[in-house]
Amino acid sequence: MKLLSLVLLIIIALGVAYCIRSLRALHQKVSSRSERTTREIAASTKELKAEVWQSYRQSEAMQQLLSLLKFSAPVPPTRSWAASPDLLLTLAQLVRTHNPKLVVELGSGVSTLVVAKAGAKKVISIDHSSEFADITRGVLKEHKVRGVEIRVAQLKAHISGVDWYDTGVLKDLKRIDLLIVDGPPGSKNPEARMPARAELINKLSPKAIIVIDDVNREGERKLAESFAKALPNHVLTIYPHEKGTAVISPK
C-alpha cells in the first residue's frame, strides 16, 4: 500500500512538474508573441506618423505654391512619378530669386509648368516620351504659358553603357542657367541619369544651378556628388524633401 502511494505521489509530482513546465513554455510563447506584436504595432505607428507628416509637409508646400504662382487652370497631379510639391516650391523659389535666362529640364511635366509660371525667360524641356511631351504641351496651353519648348529625344545606347537621350537634340544648348535633372526614368537602373554630367557640364553658364530630384536613391546621389566635384566653385546642398533634392549652386 505504501509502495502504491509512493508511486502515485511520484506520478502526481511528475504530472505537476510537466504542467508547470508546459505553463512556463506557454507563457514564454505568449510573451514572445506579445513582444513581437508590440514591436510590430510600434513600427506601424512610426511608419503611419511619418506618412501623415509627409502628407502634411506636401500639402503645406502645395498651398504655398498655389498662392505664390496663382494658377488660372487646374494643376496636374503631383508626387508618385511626378515631382512632389516640396521640389516644385524650391524650383519656383530658385527661378524667382535667380531669374535664369535659360532653363533646361530633363523630364517634362508639372515642373515645366511651375518653372515657366515662376518667370523663367526660356525653358527647354527634354522628354523621351512623345506621349508625355504632348500631355505637357496641353497643360502649358491650358495655362496659356509661353516661352517653353518641349523636345522629344528617344532613348539610345550611350557610351556610358546605359540608355540615355539622343544627344543630337542637345547640340545647340549653351549657357544653361538652371539645369533640372528628373529624367530619364531611374527607378530600374541607378545609373540611368549619370550621362547628364558628361553631356551637359560644358553647356552650363558659370553661375549655373543644378537641381537633381530623387537623391534619396543611390544613383541620383552619386550624380549630384559627381556634378559638385566637377564644379569646384559650387557647393552641394541636400534638401530633406520627400524624394530628396540636391541643389548644386555657386558658393
Side-chain angles (χ1 to χ4, degrees):
M1 190 69 175
K2 290 182 179 180
L3 180 60
L4 180 59
S5 298
L6 180 61
V7 171
L8 288 174
L9 287 172
I10 292 173
I11 292 174
I12 292 171
L14 290 173
V16 170
Y18 175 78
C19 289
I20 292 173
R21 183 177 180 183
S22 297
L23 287 171
R24 284 178 176 173
L26 179 60
H27 179 267
Q28 291 177 353
K29 188 174 183 180
V30 171
S31 297
S32 177
R33 286 183 177 178
S34 178
E35 291 175 1
R36 184 168 63 251
T37 301
T38 300
R39 289 195 299 269
E40 290 174 352
I41 291 174
S44 297
T45 300
K46 183 178 180 180
E47 183 178 349
L48 180 60
K49 285 182 178 179
E51 290 178 358
V52 170
W53 175 244
Q54 188 60 252
S55 294
Y56 170 76
R57 289 289 303 274
Q58 298 310 314
S59 297
E60 187 178 45
M62 194 65 191
Q63 289 176 1
Q64 294 183 56
L65 189 68
L66 293 173
S67 176
L68 185 68
L69 300 186
K70 302 185 185 306
F71 296 97
S72 58
V75 177
T78 62
R79 306 183 74 180
S80 185
W81 59 268
S84 295
D86 50 12
L87 169 62
L88 297 173
L89 183 59
T90 296
L91 291 175
Q93 291 172 326
L94 287 173
V95 171
R96 289 169 66 90
T97 301
H98 298 281
N99 299 310
K101 292 181 179 178
L102 174 61
V103 178
V104 171
E105 177 188 41
L106 303 183
S108 71
V110 63
S111 56
T112 314
L113 171 65
V114 166
V115 168
K117 285 285 290 182
K121 293 179 175 61
K122 183 177 181 180
V123 181
I124 297 178
S125 187
I126 312 297
D127 207 304
H128 73 286
S129 168
S130 57
E131 179 184 357
F132 287 157
D134 286 340
I135 291 174
T136 302
R137 291 189 186 103
V139 170
L140 296 174
K141 183 178 180 180
E142 188 175 8
H143 284 263
K144 299 179 181 179
V145 171
R146 298 181 179 180
V148 179
E149 179 185 354
I150 309 293
R151 299 182 182 182
V152 177
Q154 300 294 329
L155 298 182
K156 292 187 175 183
H158 189 266
I159 190 173
S160 63
V162 301
D163 288 341
W164 201 70
Y165 301 108
D166 179 359
T167 56
V169 177
L170 311 175
K171 286 183 178 180
D172 64 321
L173 299 180
K174 58 183 179 180
R175 299 192 66 80
I176 301 169
D177 294 317
L178 176 59
L179 173 64
I180 304 168
V181 182
D182 195 18
S187 59
K188 295 182 179 180
N189 185 347
E191 303 290 320
R193 298 176 180 177
M194 287 300 293
R197 190 199 69 79
E199 296 296 339
L200 296 171
I201 192 74
N202 293 325
K203 297 179 179 294
L204 301 174
S205 68
K207 295 184 178 181
I209 297 174
I210 303 96
V211 178
I212 303 174
D213 191 18
D214 300 302
V215 295
N216 287 343
R217 299 191 303 218
E218 181 181 355
E220 281 75 3
R221 179 66 68 98
K222 182 179 177 182
L223 174 61
E225 293 171 348
S226 176
F227 261 112
K229 186 177 180 180
L231 298 168
N233 294 322
H234 284 57
V235 61
L236 168 63
T237 303
I238 303 294
Y239 290 87
H241 290 168
E242 182 174 36
K243 302 172 187 176
T245 300
V247 177
I248 301 101
S249 56
K251 294 180 179 178

